[in-house]
Amino acid sequence: MDRIYIKGRKTLSGEVEISGSKNSTLPLLFSTLLAEGSHTFHNASQVKDVDTGIKLLQSFGCEAYWKGTSLTVIVPDKIENFTAHYDLMRTMRAGVLCLGVLLSRYGKAQVSLPGGCAIGTRPINWHVENLKKMGAGIEIQKGYIYGKSALPLKAAQIKLEKPSVGATQNLLMAGVLAEGRTEIQNSAREPEVVDLIHYLKKMGADIEGGGTSTITIQGVSSLKPSEHTIIPDRIETATLLMAGAITLGEVGIFKCAPSHLTQVIEKLEQSGFDIQQGEDRIHLKSPRKFSAVNISTSFYPGFPTDLQAQFMALMTQAEGESIIEECIFENRFMHVPELMRLNAHITTHGNKAHIHPSPLKGAVVMATDLRASACLILAGLAAEGETYVRRVYHLDRGYDKLESKLALLGADIKRI
Ligand code: UD1
């Protein structure tokens, strides 16, 4: 099994380009099922989760091929298989997004309950309850969601308890072919939701309010395939910025979207880093020392939970004690014991972690989930000596050649 080897304490410098967003590519992949024909996505993310998403589409009878980073999906006029099998769904939670699509276009779906990162229970009750409101009959048995609906689905007034990204995306894709006007209140505002809306509109959907807390969808009778350029990956962007920061380096990040990272940039600035932004680039210059700052994760535009672990790695090297509060997932501190193996000094109380500065020392550590793997790599970059990060299949699920990009910036890192 692959491991990542890092010899720490190399100051990063140079420039690197960002890949397309994984969390945008996945819902866009499933949206193709809404219209037969050829859909093309430029700047698509080439990570393992996307491969799994493509396999799922292929299991429904679609074809897919890559040309560079452009991905074309060809959806047949008829689909014979409506089952998303456990084998494909167990590693990739986003697969549940095919539920709304299959129900709204074909009136049936049998979707395995999703897997994904072990960061909490991650229920899908808001997806299911609201699809039922739209007229779908849904039962959960033996680990599968069985859905049936008369076509078209019916529009509904929906109020989400919290602005769930996945529930908003699932209900959006169910609403575009439903009869009437669906309103999703307390909808997620993440850039990946907005990107999906952009593509659905290109396909002919009638949607208003993307990027706000209320989305309205006037159902249409059919959609047609289109072409789209996917937004840059904001989590990869910030991970690379923090890699520059933790090594007290100076890095330029290109082909990114700084406007999607306002909170993160603010926190890095508060900590003492000098950040210059252009429309699609960010330049980070480190001070000689940087200070501790506190963060609380929250829904967009707040500090993303997907960057909590990486920021914690950074704070182990700050001057002073910082407090990190995780408000989205109930079990997202699994990287803490691994960071402590690298000599970090962290105490946790419920959903709060107190990070006391301490010099990091290389060790063998194990990635417990996708973003935790990046956190350990960042810690390894700052640690004295050699670090080995095991279980890098988590990393490969969601980062596009992270170690090559870090090597390009001067890190002593390799996959072995
Ligand atoms: C998406 C992202 C993930 C990110 C998360 C939060 C993708 C593929 N994944 O995940 O990287 O960490 O947003 O920004 O885009 N919840 C319920 N019931 C539901 C749905 C959600 O209780 O039916 C809860 C979850 O357990 C969690 C919170 O709502 O506590 C937010 O989850 P959600 O926004 O749905 O996350 P995902 O869409 O799964």
Side-chain angles (χ1 to χ4, degrees):
M1 211 179 279
D2 288 2
R3 284 175 297 168
I4 300 284
Y5 163 87
I6 307 153
K7 184 134 190 280
R9 297 268 169 100
K10 291 263 178 344
T11 302
L12 299 196
S13 70
E15 293 173 347
V16 73
E17 275 186 12
I18 295 305
S19 303
S21 160
K22 163 186 95 84
N23 284 355
S24 250
T25 305
L26 289 169
L28 286 167
L29 272 184
F30 300 122
S31 75
T32 61
L33 291 169
L34 291 165
E36 73 179 81
S38 173
H39 305 249
T40 297
F41 301 109
H42 305 293
N43 199 35
S45 164
Q46 295 185 306
V47 298
K48 190 82 180 39
D49 270 7
V50 171
D51 283 348
T52 311
I54 292 172
K55 283 193 185 120
L56 194 54
L57 288 180
Q58 286 167 335
S59 77
F60 296 139
C62 303
E63 286 171 39
Y65 63 86
W66 289 95
K67 202 170 171 192
T69 55
S70 294
L71 174 63
T72 295
V73 177
I74 301 165
V75 180
D77 55 350
K78 272 200 188 127
I79 284 185
E80 306 294 344
N81 169 43
F82 299 92
T83 304
H85 281 286
Y86 172 73
D87 279 349
L88 291 173
M89 294 286 290
R90 71 192 163 87
T91 59
M92 186 199 45
R93 183 178 160 82
V96 76
L97 296 178
C98 63
L99 182 64
V101 182
L102 289 174
L103 283 173
S104 83
R105 171 112 193 271
Y106 305 98
K108 51 184 158 180
Q110 185 176 332
V111 177
S112 164
L113 285 168
C117 281
I119 55 179
T121 51
R122 305 191 78 175
I124 49 155
N125 52 324
W126 303 331
H127 303 233
V128 169
E129 277 163 23
N130 289 300
L131 286 169
K132 280 184 179 168
K133 259 193 166 177
M134 298 178 84
I138 299 183
E139 283 182 21
I140 299 182
Q141 279 174 14
K142 297 184 183 167
Y144 274 82
I145 311 162
Y146 293 87
K148 255 195 174 164
S149 56
L151 293 179
L153 284 173
K154 304 270 174 286
Q157 281 291 317
I158 292 167
K159 185 162 187 190
L160 292 175
E161 205 170 304
K162 287 186 186 160
S164 154
V165 175
T168 303
Q169 291 170 332
N170 226 339
L171 297 166
L172 253 171
M173 292 195 273
V176 286
L177 292 176
E179 187 177 10
R181 185 170 174 276
T182 297
E183 186 171 277
I184 312 175
Q185 289 177 22
N186 202 22
S187 51
R189 294 183 281 163
E190 269 70 359
E192 296 77 17
V193 172
V194 177
D195 208 28
L196 173 64
I197 293 176
H198 280 152
Y199 187 61
L200 292 172
K201 285 170 93 163
K202 284 183 181 173
M203 283 204 283
D206 184 353
I207 305 171
E208 279 174 19
T212 75
S213 301
T214 305
I215 297 174
T216 52
I217 311 145
Q218 181 64 48
V220 295
S221 56
S222 66
L223 297 168
K224 54 181 187 339
S226 190
E227 194 168 339
H228 185 66
T229 300
I230 296 177
I231 56 170
D233 197 302
R234 63 191 166 107
I235 306 302
E236 184 198 24
T237 305
T239 302
L240 287 164
L241 278 178
M242 291 184 207
I246 202 168
T247 63
L248 295 177
E250 181 168 356
V251 291
I253 312 284
F254 286 84
K255 284 176 79 179
C256 62
S259 62
H260 296 165
L261 283 166
T262 312
Q263 262 267 339
V264 178
I265 290 172
E266 251 172 56
K267 290 289 175 185
L268 287 170
E269 283 176 335
Q270 272 173 29
S271 185
F273 295 94
D274 175 29
I275 296 191
Q276 304 296 323
Q277 305 172 48
E279 202 185 325
D280 68 346
R281 57 194 59 194
I282 307 177
H283 186 94
L284 173 139
K285 193 172 172 193
S286 301
R288 287 207 359 255
K289 292 174 181 169
F290 56 94
S291 4
V293 288
N294 301 335
I295 59 155
S296 283
T297 62
S298 70
F299 297 99
Y300 191 82
F303 196 97
T305 174
D306 285 353
L307 289 168
Q308 179 257 105
Q310 300 88 317
F311 199 77
M312 189 181 292
L314 180 64
M315 285 300 105
T316 64
Q317 300 308 291
E319 296 246 294
E321 181 193 320
S322 55
I323 302 174
I324 292 186
E325 190 181 16
E326 172 55 54
C327 301
I328 307 289
F329 293 111
E330 71 275 18
N331 189 22
R332 206 167 197 179
F333 281 152
M334 288 184 6
H335 44 281
V336 169
E338 298 303 309
L339 280 175
M340 286 167 74
R341 289 174 62 77
L342 294 167
N343 201 43
H345 181 192
I346 301 168
T347 47
T348 55
H349 309 275
N351 72 336
K352 285 194 180 134
H354 291 248
I355 296 99
H356 316 272
S358 101
L360 297 176
K361 299 199 171 124
V364 178
V365 288
M366 188 178 80
T368 49
D369 66 67
L370 166 54
R371 305 305 173 186
S373 59
C375 147
L376 296 172
I377 289 176
L378 295 194
L381 292 175
E384 184 192 335
E386 297 176 333
T387 295
Y388 293 86
V389 182
R390 300 176 66 166
R391 299 206 178 164
V392 289
Y393 52 82
H394 288 296
L395 182 78
D396 297 335
R397 277 190 43 220
Y399 280 95
D400 187 11
K401 305 175 211 74
L402 184 66
E403 75 275 16
S404 314
K405 292 188 182 185
L406 290 169
L408 210 71
L409 294 172
D412 190 348
I413 182 169
K414 61 185 176 206
R415 186 178 286 256
I416 50 176

